Amino acid sequence: MPHHKTALRVAAPVAVLALALTACGGGDDADTDAKSPASPEASASPSQAASGGELATGESATGKVAEDPGQVTYEVVAQKVEVGTEAEAAKAVADAADAKGKALAVAHVKYTHKSGPALTEGSDVHDGTTIFADGQRGGVLIGASDDAPGCEDPYDVESWKQGESHVFCETYVIPANSTSVEVHWSEEDGEPYVWKFPQK
């Protein structure tokens, strides 16, 4: 696993510049969002979700990820989503025309190593994170938020022990007029946990 990450990291700046925004407006995961009737305003205090479904602000999920040294259990919580402007999106892509009517959405997700072996060469926990807007999956912008304030580059984390937390960010391109942005995280082959962030 980690030996692929070095190549991905080197390729990331090129991927940002060469990104074609083909993923916007569609995705086959959109129908998995509405499985839980829970309200996002239900509780602002941190607690644990049982298994997939909608979570309240501040509510965390727990899941297992197969890492290089062995299976690790993580606690995951989407802290916030920052939605930018169409002008910012135009600067982030190779062809400004691709960003017409689009905005950047940066999700800040905190991952805490709860149990399992210490990691020495990075982690795959953030691979299960995606951003949806108004029920449709956004277009991923690889490497765009690695140096954003409050965001860590997951490929720079070379040592991760039980009890330690890191905040990784994911950047997606979404319709600029979206009324609801969702952060999804799931274990491999698991149902997604969903945090909703209504937009004004």
Side-chain angles (χ1 to χ4, degrees):
M1 280 182 236
H3 58 277
H4 296 297
K5 293 178 183 174
T6 304
L8 286 174
R9 182 166 182 198
V10 171
V14 176
V16 171
L17 297 174
L19 177 69
L21 302 177
T22 55
C24 286
D28 52 5
D29 297 328
D31 61 335
T32 60
D33 308 352
K35 294 195 176 181
S36 171
S39 167
E41 292 83 32
S43 169
S45 62
S47 60
Q48 296 276 330
S51 169
E54 192 172 310
L55 304 179
T57 302
E59 191 175 4
S60 62
T62 301
K64 296 179 178 9
V65 176
E67 302 285 15
D68 194 18
Q71 192 171 71
V72 174
T73 299
Y74 292 96
E75 183 179 87
V76 180
V77 62
Q79 297 179 316
K80 64 181 177 177
V81 176
E82 296 174 339
V83 178
T85 65
E86 189 173 332
E88 290 168 334
K91 290 179 186 175
V93 298
D95 184 353
D98 289 337
K100 187 168 179 55
K102 309 283 190 223
L104 298 182
V106 180
H108 294 242
V109 184
K110 181 179 179 182
Y111 304 94
T112 303
H113 187 308
K114 298 302 282 184
S115 67
L119 305 180
T120 57
E121 295 185 39
S123 168
D124 291 329
V125 67
H126 66 285
D127 290 348
T129 303
T130 54
I131 297 178
F132 282 66
D134 296 337
Q136 299 294 315
R137 183 176 174 163
V140 66
L141 203 56
I142 299 169
S145 60
D146 291 346
D147 58 355
C151 303
E152 299 175 71
D153 185 335
Y155 304 117
D156 284 344
V157 178
E158 295 178 353
S159 173
W160 195 347
K161 299 178 182 132
Q162 188 173 326
E164 294 178 346
S165 299
H166 293 283
V167 176
F168 301 143
C169 297
E170 299 291 331
T171 302
Y172 277 65
V173 179
I174 63 171
N177 60 352
S178 300
T179 59
S180 178
V181 178
E182 299 173 358
V183 178
H184 293 207
W185 180 83
S186 61
E187 302 172 276
E188 187 175 354
D189 299 324
E191 291 297 315
Y193 293 96
V194 178
W195 293 266
K196 288 190 175 183
F197 297 88
Q199 302 299 297
K200 296 176 183 172

